[in-house]
Amino acid sequence: MTEIRPGVRRLLRLVTRRTMQRDADEEIRLHLELRTRQLVAGGMSPEEARAEAERRFGEVDDERGRSHAFAARRERSQRWRGALDVVRADVRYAFRTLRRDRGFTAFAVAIIALGIGASATVFSLVNGVLLRPMPFHEPSRLVWIDNVGDHDDELWRVQVDHFVDLRDQSRSLSGLAGYFAFYNIGDAVLTTRGGDMQRLTRVPVTCNFFPLLGVAPRLGRSFNADECLENSGPTAILTDKLWREQFGADPSIVGRIVTINDRPVQVIGVLQASFDFASVFSPGGPADLFTAYPLSESNSRNGNSLAVIGRLARGATLDQARTELVALGKHLTDEYPRRNTIRPRVSSLDEHVNGHFRPALLVLAFAVAAVMLIVALNLASLQFARMTARRREIAVRLALGASRGRLIRQTLTESLVLAVGGAALGVGIALVATRYISQLRAFDIPLLARVTVDVPALAAATIVAIATGVLVGVLPALQAPAQAGDALKEGGRGATRGGYHARVRSALVVTEIAAALVLLVASSLLLRSFVRALDSDLGFAPAQLARLRVDPAKRIFKYTAATTYYDDVLRRVRAIPGVTAASLSDMLPFTGDRSWGIFAEGQTYQRGQAPEGHIRIIGTDYFKTMRIPMHAGRDFTDADTHNAPPVAIINESMARTLWPGQSAIGRRIMEGSDSVRVIGVVGDTRYSSLETPFAGEVYLPLMQTITSRVDLVVRTTLQLSQLATSARAALAPVAPAAAAGQWTRVQELIDHVASPRRFVVELLAGFAAFALALAALGIYALISYGVTQRRQEIGIRMALGASASHVRGSIVRSTLRLATAGLLLGVAAALLVVPAMSGLLFGVAWSDPVSFAGAAVVLLLVAGAAGLLPAHRAARVDPSLALREG
Amino acid sequence: MSDPAPLPILKGTLDNLVLKALCWTPMHGFEITQWVEARSRDALDIRDSALYQALRRLEERELVTGEWGITENNQRARYYRITRAGRARLASDTAQWVRYAKTVTDILTSTPGPA
């Protein structure tokens, strides 16, 4: 009866709206009449009585007005209550039907939850990384300034003198700041109060670095002008994290002297927790404290050492800054022939930080949209099937007086209930997933650490949920029969409209397959790029390589002391059983890079045309340890000391550049003002990324070049923990600070540079798998439903002699027809969409036939499998039983 | 005892009088007037319209409900019935009124003296 009651009430409402006011008048009239009659009975004349009655009543007209207003109010509230009752009844009804269909409900809620969880997570990522402004003051006015090298694709840093001149002469930029681009991870050793050594990463910055960014320290202050002069007493600003972890958040830290690299350093400030240098400028890397980088003569001799940021002046545009700095750079290059060249290229800081990652996130956002589309289509298709199955029930309810609008509203309510349930679960998934992803330190993605599920993300999820609900609800509801008679006549068979329904559902499934194919193609392209990148020839064998920082605890300025220290370390480590080779390097692959101009002796080069050599300073046995092939000449030996003639080993690329077609052995290169003899040629190695082409490399012996940063690299079959234990014992007497350090696998360095690619590949592959599963489910549900509907027909065919395999074949064929249609549509869509992601690909073209064919084959196989199950069921139909059922 | 002038009714008390009237049986507006007049022996000065306003107020707060019925003389009249919430409100208001009246009465009628 709950179903009819609201209808009756609606009928009543039409009556009451008009009658309520009449009723109010009537009530007053009756009162006056009864009062008059009472007074007449008491002896008054009718006229007197009437007047007295009205006097006693008071303002009759006022009361009438008030009664009318009240009637209208009551009428409105009743209407609301009525509407609310309808909604409540609909929701109750939805819950009841959903309870009856537990399997469907669980499935629907699960896929909506996964879909919304995925979209909220990806939206949070996109929002956190791309949309939300960087944690600086007016970040949109910050610019990044590269120094374009001899070739347009070479981006260099800026020399200090040029920095000063650009800063002083630029009018479009209100300020310029920078940091020393070649700071080394872990090169600041903090001696804690307990006497332990802690390796920290120190970033030298220009004096105005924090004020320019608009970052105020939470404690203390930024550097003052005196502290930025050379030879001033060293000062440091700590990150919030370091302050908490090493100094117990000591509020009186400012002014304290701490010991870094055995020198006293005064702490002048602590930064806000929200300032995360690394996540913006060096994702995945650490940054613990900041020291002043003086803009001095000697630092200018360091060459192109500054990474430069600037702030646009009021009213200045990026284009103006671009034009002005290009002109300034040209002028400075011409005016100072002894300095390095300067060709400034200005880009927005946001573009610099996120630019290369934007396409990847957009691809993910697109993938999420596709997944949500599939989820919605799948649900719509399932709802369609349910509505068809419930045709009888619907017919009965129509006959009992339920309106078509009411039925549509109920289906909509049901879908919204599902969507809201799914959304609630999805938000939970998003919270967990986002938290998990943002804590992955393994990924080299800017600003990833600050990604959280926030209000916009949740709002987006809610909107997606409601949109899904409406889409899923309206489509199948529209097929509700227009009139009770039609539905009842159709009976349970649904013969008249059956063909139409099947077509609509087929169209939904075909679209699903197409969307799944696009995702499959995209993820297969990215996967193949990823594999290509990992497959790229590194030039060395990272497996079984482990590394440990072994910088000398005190700065060693004497060659003899350095030689003794490194000899001791190598000798002791090589003696550990299970260590097959060990060497030293100041910069292992993927830990940084730097290049100098390298000339063949006697050769003159145009300014800016000198070949570049990437410099690696290494110990003996380096090539054996890394398994870099030795093509000619010999390795460094213990005899190549600072007393011996200076020697170098170059790689093939360098040799080809300097002496094309000739042997390099015995020739001399100019490294700065020194003439160095080439004693060997080795294979090329990959250094800054997996995708960067090989470049010229020059190896110099550690014993002839003092450096303060040294990695020990070891080839070993030992577990890392075993190695650490043995090495600790072996190294403790000669290198106590290093002995306590942390061993890591060289493979981790490669994983780290591959991480952005892996991140996108994993997510996209996940989406593609999900999409494929949903598409398969859609196919299965459709075919399976068709088989159930056609039991009798199949029974008759079999009775007429069709074999089981024939029936099976016809079902599988119809499945494949569906899949093929989806495939063609999907390929067409992919051809439109996929070229947009060429920027993300490496080693494969967007039109890569293998990816397309592979995706198609996978899809056909999965579709075939999804159709096989119902086909088997059809083949087992017993004709006699099927016919009797009718 | 000569009739004193009718008392102006205190704000809010009329509602309670109407609820009290409806405690026994549903009544229409005029019956309620009669009931109150009979019990107050005309000591209270109540405009009839005020009574209807009270009824609207009570109906809106769902303390009474109104529905159309037929009087003994076969006339259509709106009958009011007290709701469960109405009874609860009457009980609590009555208790409060009694305590208030007693306290004030005690003070006003006591012999003056130090507290």
Side-chain angles (χ1 to χ4, degrees):
Chain A
M1 287 315 277
T2 40
E3 318 226 335
I4 293 171
R5 205 183 55 206
V8 171
R9 186 175 300 159
R10 209 165 35 243
L11 260 167
L12 278 179
R13 196 195 321 143
L14 289 173
V15 182
T16 49
R17 191 175 299 175
R18 258 175 268 123
T19 52
M20 262 187 177
Q21 296 187 349
R22 226 173 32 225
D23 284 350
D25 296 346
E26 166 87 1
E27 194 173 14
I28 295 170
R29 197 199 52 74
L30 177 72
H31 182 95
L32 293 175
E33 184 193 320
L34 290 175
R35 175 70 85 188
T36 309
R37 205 178 291 166
Q38 183 194 33
L39 291 172
V40 169
M44 279 194 196
S45 70
E47 290 74 28
E48 272 176 339
R50 179 74 195 179
E52 173 64 10
E54 282 182 12
R55 191 193 63 76
R56 285 212 199 172
F57 192 89
E59 319 83 353
V60 174
D61 288 338
D62 284 5
E63 177 56 23
R64 203 167 274 148
R66 272 198 296 272
S67 295
H68 287 184
F70 171 74
R73 259 203 320 278
R74 192 173 51 185
E75 199 270 336
R76 261 199 307 278
S77 90
Q78 264 180 14
R79 190 148 28 117
W80 271 110
R81 215 169 306 160
L84 214 66
D85 275 350
V86 174
V87 169
R88 214 176 295 149
D90 281 351
V91 170
R92 252 203 317 271
Y93 178 76
F95 271 109
R96 213 164 48 228
T97 44
L98 289 176
R99 245 202 318 276
R100 216 162 45 200
D101 250 346
R102 276 208 195 88
F104 166 79
T105 307
F107 173 74
V109 168
I111 60 175
I112 295 176
L114 281 172
I116 286 175
S119 30
T121 305
V122 167
F123 181 80
S124 300
L125 281 174
V126 174
N127 185 36
V129 176
L130 292 188
L131 305 178
R132 204 133 46 102
M134 284 186 287
F136 307 130
H137 176 66
E138 294 192 322
S140 60
R141 306 197 64 78
L142 291 172
V143 297
W144 175 265
I145 300 169
D146 279 305
N147 178 12
V148 181
D150 297 337
H151 305 286
D152 283 350
D153 58 346
E154 282 177 319
L155 296 177
W156 294 340
R157 306 284 71 88
V158 176
Q159 200 172 7
V160 166
D161 286 344
H162 284 316
F163 173 88
V164 171
D165 287 337
L166 287 177
R167 183 192 64 189
D168 294 346
Q169 295 174 26
S170 167
R171 307 178 67 87
S172 58
L173 297 175
S174 65
L176 236 61
Y179 61 90
F180 178 60
F182 303 97
Y183 67 91
N184 285 322
I185 288 169
D187 74 345
V189 177
L190 171 78
T191 310
T192 63
R193 280 187 167 171
D196 289 340
M197 307 280 198
Q198 188 73 36
R199 230 173 236 299
L200 302 174
T201 298
R202 173 186 53 175
V203 184
V205 298
T206 60
C207 214
N208 62 334
F209 186 72
F210 297 112
L212 184 114
L213 288 175
V215 173
R218 64 175 299 158
L219 287 178
R221 55 175 177 79
S222 185
F223 300 109
N224 66 29
D226 287 344
E227 286 156 355
C228 296
L229 295 176
E230 205 156 26
N231 303 324
S232 63
T235 49
I237 296 174
L238 313 182
T239 57
D240 181 81
K241 182 163 169 285
L242 178 66
W243 176 58
R244 288 176 192 285
E245 288 176 0
Q246 289 298 325
F247 300 101
D250 176 6
S252 61
I253 186 83
V254 173
R256 234 175 87 183
I257 306 291
V258 297
T259 307
I260 290 168
N261 292 347
D262 288 327
R263 293 173 69 196
V265 174
Q266 187 182 21
V267 176
I268 60 161
V270 177
L271 293 167
Q272 305 276 0
S274 61
F275 179 76
D276 191 352
F277 175 88
S279 82
V280 176
F281 296 104
S282 158
D288 301 304
L289 70 159
F290 298 87
T291 54
Y293 186 70
L295 299 173
S296 63
E297 189 64 28
S298 67
N299 276 336
S300 193
R301 279 198 299 273
N302 278 345
N304 296 335
S305 63
L306 275 175
V308 181
I309 54 174
R311 185 174 281 283
L312 289 174
R314 287 267 155 250
T317 65
L318 192 62
D319 279 337
Q320 284 168 358
R322 220 169 252 157
T323 321
E324 188 199 34
L325 262 71
V326 166
L328 278 177
K330 208 166 156 52
H331 168 73
L332 289 172
T333 302
D334 293 344
E335 191 174 340
Y336 300 103
R338 299 184 64 84
R339 292 187 192 169
N340 293 344
T341 56
I342 173 88
R343 277 171 71 194
R345 199 179 74 184
V346 180
S347 53
S348 82
L349 183 61
D350 181 54
E351 176 65 27
H352 168 74
V353 171
N354 294 320
H356 65 288
F357 203 66
R358 181 166 286 133
L361 283 181
L362 292 180
V363 164
L364 286 181
F366 171 78
V368 155
V371 164
M372 277 319 291
L373 177 72
I374 296 177
V375 165
L377 290 175
N378 212 316
L379 281 179
S381 164
L382 281 174
Q383 282 282 49
F384 242 102
R386 290 180 67 231
M387 288 289 283
T388 317
R390 277 159 58 190
R391 174 170 297 265
R392 224 205 182 109
E393 174 202 335
I394 290 164
V396 169
R397 288 182 42 210
L398 277 172
L400 286 177
S403 73
R404 184 155 181 267
R406 186 70 206 290
L407 287 177
I408 291 176
R409 210 163 50 228
Q410 270 173 1
T411 322
L412 202 59
T413 310
E414 197 179 293
S415 305
L416 280 174
V417 165
L418 284 177
V420 168
L425 205 61
V427 166
I429 292 175
L431 285 172
V432 173
T434 308
R435 208 180 145 70
Y436 174 72
I437 290 174
S438 69
Q439 282 173 350
L440 292 175
R441 292 297 303 254
F443 291 116
D444 177 12
I445 294 164
L447 303 172
L448 185 61
R450 68 173 186 157
V451 166
T452 51
V453 176
D454 48 17
V455 174
L458 290 182
T462 313
I463 291 168
V464 169
I466 290 170
T468 312
V470 170
L471 181 65
V472 165
V474 163
L475 275 178
L478 290 180
Q479 70 147 343
Q483 280 166 15
D486 293 354
L488 280 177
K489 261 182 279 168
E490 278 181 30
R493 301 262 166 85
T496 41
R497 290 167 68 100
Y500 165 72
H501 292 157
R503 274 199 303 282
V504 171
R505 288 196 63 204
S506 298
L508 290 175
V509 170
V510 164
T511 316
E512 265 181 62
I513 296 172
L517 184 87
V518 174
L519 282 181
L520 275 177
V521 170
S523 58
S524 129
L525 281 170
L526 283 180
L527 189 67
R528 281 167 55 75
S529 301
F530 180 61
V531 171
R532 284 281 163 87
L534 284 187
D535 265 1
S536 79
D537 179 17
L538 296 173
F540 65 96
Q544 300 190 335
L545 283 181
R547 68 180 187 121
L548 174 72
R549 280 295 285 276
V550 292
D551 304 6
K554 292 194 170 70
R555 279 171 183 265
I556 298 176
F557 291 102
K558 288 207 172 92
Y559 280 110
T560 44
T563 309
T564 313
Y565 173 76
Y566 294 130
D567 274 351
D568 274 348
V569 168
L570 278 181
R571 199 161 25 81
R572 283 167 180 269
V573 168
R574 283 171 181 158
I576 296 170
V579 169
T580 53
S583 185
L584 300 164
S585 162
D586 74 321
M587 203 175 269
L588 284 170
F590 309 116
T591 59
D593 208 356
R594 79 199 132 177
S595 62
W596 297 339
I598 297 289
F599 316 108
E601 198 178 51
Q603 192 79 18
T604 48
Y605 299 92
Q606 296 272 313
R607 184 184 181 211
Q609 299 293 309
E612 287 286 309
H614 295 261
I615 307 297
R616 295 87 173 79
I617 299 168
I618 58 166
T620 54
D621 272 2
Y622 180 74
F623 305 109
K624 180 184 159 201
T625 310
M626 298 290 281
R627 298 215 173 133
I628 297 169
M630 193 94 205
H631 290 310
R634 63 167 178 90
D635 191 2
F636 299 130
T637 67
D638 288 336
D640 296 313
T641 63
H642 65 283
N643 294 320
V647 289
I649 294 171
I650 59 177
N651 71 347
E652 283 182 284
S653 296
M654 192 85 247
R656 239 192 337 267
T657 312
L658 295 177
W659 301 286
Q662 303 166 45
S663 165
I665 306 295
R667 298 196 182 246
R668 305 189 78 85
I669 54 172
M670 297 301 293
E671 186 260 294
S673 55
D674 301 334
S675 161
V676 182
R677 194 163 58 93
V678 175
I679 59 163
V681 176
V682 294
D684 296 342
T685 57
R686 210 66 72 177
Y687 240 78
S688 51
S689 83
L690 298 172
E691 295 92 341
T692 320
F694 291 126
E697 294 174 288
V698 176
Y699 295 89
L700 302 173
L702 182 61
M703 303 307 179
Q704 293 184 341
T705 325
I706 278 189
T707 174
S708 59
R709 175 204 198 282
V710 178
D711 265 312
L712 172 65
V713 57
V714 162
R715 182 165 292 280
T716 178
T717 49
L718 296 175
Q719 294 292 314
L720 221 50
S721 56
Q722 290 174 302
L723 177 66
T725 314
S726 310
R728 197 172 302 134
L731 291 177
V734 294
Q742 181 89 40
W743 283 89
T744 50
R745 296 228 162 258
V746 169
Q747 182 62 43
E748 286 174 24
L749 298 171
I750 296 153
D751 294 345
H752 186 73
V753 291
S755 63
R757 215 168 253 294
R758 187 159 61 89
F759 181 75
V760 181
V761 166
E762 282 176 2
L763 277 179
L764 200 63
F767 288 152
F770 183 45
L772 188 63
L774 284 181
L777 231 130
I779 297 171
Y780 168 78
L782 182 68
I783 300 291
S784 168
Y785 174 75
V787 166
T788 313
Q789 293 288 89
R790 286 170 49 209
R791 270 175 73 84
Q792 284 184 34
E793 178 204 325
I794 293 168
I796 291 169
R797 283 190 184 195
M798 290 181 82
L800 291 177
S803 70
S805 69
H806 182 82
V807 169
R808 202 166 26 230
S810 91
I811 305 264
V812 169
R813 263 197 305 282
S814 69
T815 310
L816 291 181
R817 256 202 308 280
L818 216 59
T820 312
L823 218 70
L824 292 177
L825 189 64
V827 168
L831 288 176
L832 282 177
V833 171
V834 169
M837 56 185 281
S838 339
L840 293 173
L841 303 181
F842 173 71
V844 288
W846 68 263
S847 56
D848 177 41
V850 176
S851 296
F852 275 83
V857 167
V858 167
L859 201 66
L860 280 179
L861 283 178
V862 170
L868 219 54
L869 225 64
H872 273 304
R873 205 149 47 84
R876 280 204 311 273
V877 166
D878 181 341
S880 58
L881 279 179
L883 289 175
R884 226 172 295 149
E885 273 171 22
Chain B
M1 200 161 74
S2 64
D3 263 5
L7 298 166
I9 188 142
L10 288 173
K11 217 172 158 60
T13 44
L14 183 58
D15 291 11
N16 285 323
L17 295 184
V18 171
L19 287 176
K20 182 77 183 175
L22 295 175
C23 253
W24 311 110
T25 174
M27 294 183 205
H28 58 70
F30 188 68
E31 284 176 331
I32 300 172
T33 326
Q34 297 286 290
W35 191 90
V36 174
E37 281 169 7
R39 271 159 194 72
S40 69
R41 288 178 291 273
D42 293 331
L44 297 175
D45 177 22
I46 305 173
R47 281 279 168 87
D48 291 353
S49 62
L51 183 107
Y52 282 93
Q53 280 171 46
L55 281 170
R56 306 278 169 264
R57 240 184 344 258
L58 292 168
E59 199 174 357
E60 216 156 11
R61 293 175 196 160
E62 300 192 333
L63 300 175
V64 304
T65 59
E67 58 196 43
W68 287 93
I70 304 297
T71 66
E72 294 152 29
N73 298 327
N74 239 353
Q75 279 174 303
R76 239 179 119 244
R78 195 164 166 81
Y79 279 87
Y80 294 89
R81 181 194 300 276
I82 188 165
T83 64
R84 194 185 287 238
R87 283 183 199 280
R89 169 64 62 88
L90 178 63
S92 76
D93 279 6
T94 306
Q96 203 176 347
W97 173 265
V98 168
R99 251 180 57 218
Y100 175 81
K102 178 172 168 5
T103 310
V104 175
T105 311
D106 283 355
I107 296 169
L108 292 180
T109 56
S110 63
T111 11

